[in-house]
Amino acid sequence: MKTPYFTVKNIIQITGITKRALHYYDKTDLLKPSKVEDNGYRYYDQEALGNLQMILLFKEMNFSLKDIVAMMQLSKEEQKDILREHRSTLVQRKQKLETIIHQLDEYVDGTDISHLNLFDDSSILPIQEQYESEAKFIYGDTEKYQEFEANVSQLSVEEQEKAYQQFSVNMEQVFRELAKHQDLSPASREVQALVRKWKSCLEQFMVCDDEILRCIAETYTTDRRYAGYFDQFGNEDFLRFLYEAIMVFIQLASNR
């Protein structure tokens, strides 16, 4: 029986590959035609078609063309050894993608970026650590920040984590209560009592004078990252309401 040859058009119809890709494989020596006629027409035999199908399989498995070139030089058993190892990599990648999807859903549902664990398996520092580094860079030479660091350094890593988590929960509770009173004046007794509670949360780590409180209030309104965080508590005016409530608290404290 005469060995059948397939034209480029035949190969495209059989596999679904594009003409451009097929020519690129030829140019890079990944898959050469079985023969080329004087008129330049390329023809592929059944072995070449089988090789192309393996190339497309490896490509679908997320191997680079460079890796595929090397793979095509190996025996079937050697290829299977690499595929077994590659499977482990794909499983890890799958787990990472599942984590990303979960974190994406949480962020879309309103979870603040500081509570996401997206960088846990990355060389990128977690957002919470980035915030801490940023704070140290900005406030590190101040007496209050040094006092904060001294207090935190006395805690174990587990105690620090627990303290930060509880601090976050307490803060969110205060903000949610403040949002319920958003129809009141920032100077009202109920609102000022909640601002005092907010200050008490901060004082778990450091003594908060008027300057520190003012700085925090202004950061809430000027740092765009806080906008998304506070959106979960009240309407679009909540951040301005919170700022005014804190400023009233500072003013009342200075008049005492």
Side-chain angles (χ1 to χ4, degrees):
M1 179 179 177
K2 189 176 180 180
T3 302
Y5 281 96
F6 305 100
T7 65
V8 169
K9 184 177 181 180
N10 296 150
I11 293 294
I12 291 172
Q13 290 174 335
I14 292 171
T15 65
I17 193 174
T18 65
K19 182 177 180 180
R20 181 179 179 181
L22 198 57
H23 285 185
Y24 181 75
Y25 292 170
D26 180 8
K27 181 179 178 181
T28 57
D29 295 329
L30 180 57
L31 181 74
K32 304 295 291 185
S34 303
K35 69 174 182 177
V36 180
E37 298 288 3
D38 293 340
N39 58 9
Y41 285 5
R42 298 174 171 85
Y43 293 90
Y44 298 83
D45 61 18
Q46 288 179 305
E47 182 181 356
L49 176 59
N51 287 337
L52 174 59
Q53 290 166 340
M54 290 304 301
I55 290 170
L56 297 177
L57 175 66
F58 293 149
K59 187 172 183 293
E60 195 66 22
M61 290 179 176
N62 210 32
F63 283 99
S64 68
L65 290 182
K66 181 180 178 181
D67 289 337
I68 294 174
V69 170
M71 292 267 292
M72 295 301 293
Q73 308 304 315
L74 302 176
S75 67
K76 292 295 183 183
E77 285 306 313
E78 289 173 324
Q79 289 178 354
K80 289 180 181 180
D81 288 339
I82 292 177
L83 289 174
R84 291 187 187 97
E85 186 176 331
H86 186 61
R87 184 185 186 282
S88 298
T89 301
L90 291 178
V91 169
Q92 292 176 1
R93 191 170 300 166
K94 175 188 175 184
Q95 293 170 343
K96 179 66 174 177
L97 285 173
E98 288 175 346
T99 298
I100 291 173
I101 292 171
H102 176 69
Q103 297 292 300
L104 183 153
D105 289 341
E106 286 201 358
Y107 183 71
V108 170
D109 290 341
T111 300
D112 182 61
I113 187 174
S114 63
H115 294 166
L116 300 180
N117 301 314
L118 194 56
F119 302 123
D120 283 0
D121 299 322
S122 169
S123 60
I124 303 299
L125 292 176
I127 293 295
Q128 189 59 48
E129 288 188 31
Q130 292 184 35
Y131 283 175
E132 292 169 11
S133 297
E134 177 186 356
K136 186 171 184 176
F137 181 81
I138 298 173
Y139 307 113
D141 59 348
T142 65
E143 180 181 345
K144 296 300 180 183
Y145 188 84
Q146 291 167 8
E147 175 186 336
F148 161 76
E149 277 200 315
N151 291 338
V152 171
S153 65
Q154 296 176 11
L155 304 175
S156 67
V157 174
E158 292 77 13
E159 289 173 332
Q160 289 181 29
E161 181 65 24
K162 185 177 180 180
Y164 284 139
Q165 289 178 352
Q166 189 60 52
F167 172 78
S168 179
V169 169
N170 292 342
M171 278 296 197
E172 288 186 7
Q173 288 176 345
V174 171
F175 292 142
R176 292 190 191 285
E177 286 300 315
L178 278 166
K180 294 177 183 178
H181 295 78
Q182 202 172 334
D183 58 331
L184 300 179
S185 166
S188 67
R189 179 176 57 82
E190 296 88 345
V191 171
Q192 287 302 301
L194 288 169
V195 175
R196 190 176 302 108
K197 190 174 181 180
W198 166 79
K199 180 188 177 187
S200 296
C201 291
L202 294 171
E203 288 181 326
Q204 293 175 5
F205 297 101
M206 60 183 174
V207 176
C208 297
D209 58 16
D210 292 349
E211 180 183 358
I212 289 292
L213 296 180
R214 185 177 292 106
C215 179
I216 293 173
E218 290 175 352
T219 300
Y220 283 168
T221 58
T222 57
D223 192 328
R224 291 178 55 197
R225 291 170 295 184
Y226 282 104
Y229 172 71
F230 284 110
D231 281 346
Q232 64 183 304
F233 302 116
N235 61 32
E236 65 276 6
D237 296 323
F238 176 69
L239 199 49
R240 173 53 56 179
F241 170 78
L242 175 61
Y243 173 79
E244 292 177 356
I246 295 172
M247 297 309 289
V248 168
F249 181 87
I250 295 171
Q251 182 63 41
L252 291 174
S254 64
N255 291 337
R256 294 191 186 105

